[in-house]
Amino acid sequence: MKNLYSIARNFAAIALLSVAVVGCASTANKEGTGEYIDDSVVTTKVMSAIFADPDLKSAEINVETFKGVVQLSGFVSKEANISKAGAVAAGVEGVTSVKNNLHLK
């Protein structure tokens, strides 16, 4: 009987481990835990780079990152700042591409 409980306990442990590993895995529409953390770092770096630029210093630029792809949205005061923000974002380490959805206000 002890052997049966031991087998059941080991099976349960393996099942829980499998669920935990699969739960953290990446899919096409969902980031894995590591990717989420990496993307959070990239978002912070892009926001800092944009805010450090005197022409782009704006609270109206939103930055989101998914699997290294940065999406810029919001408003800027000059037409030239739309492309400048995209260039600043693209220059940040970890950015694989930029989707620039900024608009002129």
Side-chain angles (χ1 to χ4, degrees):
M1 197 64 160
K2 270 185 162 180
N3 197 17
L4 184 60
Y5 286 122
S6 178
I7 292 172
R9 185 180 55 229
N10 289 339
F11 178 75
I14 291 170
L16 285 173
L17 182 60
S18 298
V19 169
V21 169
V22 171
C24 294
S26 173
T27 66
N29 297 324
K30 181 182 163 217
E31 295 174 304
T33 305
E35 288 173 321
Y36 177 80
I37 293 169
D38 292 345
D39 285 344
S40 296
V41 170
V42 169
T43 298
T44 301
K45 287 181 179 180
V46 171
M47 289 172 60
S48 295
I50 287 173
F51 197 72
D53 189 296
D55 292 332
L56 300 176
K57 191 180 265 189
S58 172
E60 295 184 7
I61 297 177
N62 299 309
V63 180
E64 293 184 31
T65 309
F66 182 74
K67 295 189 175 190
V69 178
V70 171
Q71 180 174 343
L72 302 175
S73 60
F75 299 94
V76 292
S77 58
K78 297 180 206 170
E79 184 77 31
N81 289 349
I82 293 173
S83 58
K84 187 172 188 178
V88 167
V92 172
E93 183 181 346
V95 174
T96 57
S97 66
V98 177
K99 294 181 180 180
N100 195 336
N101 295 324
L102 291 172
H103 297 284
L104 190 62
K105 65 171 159 172

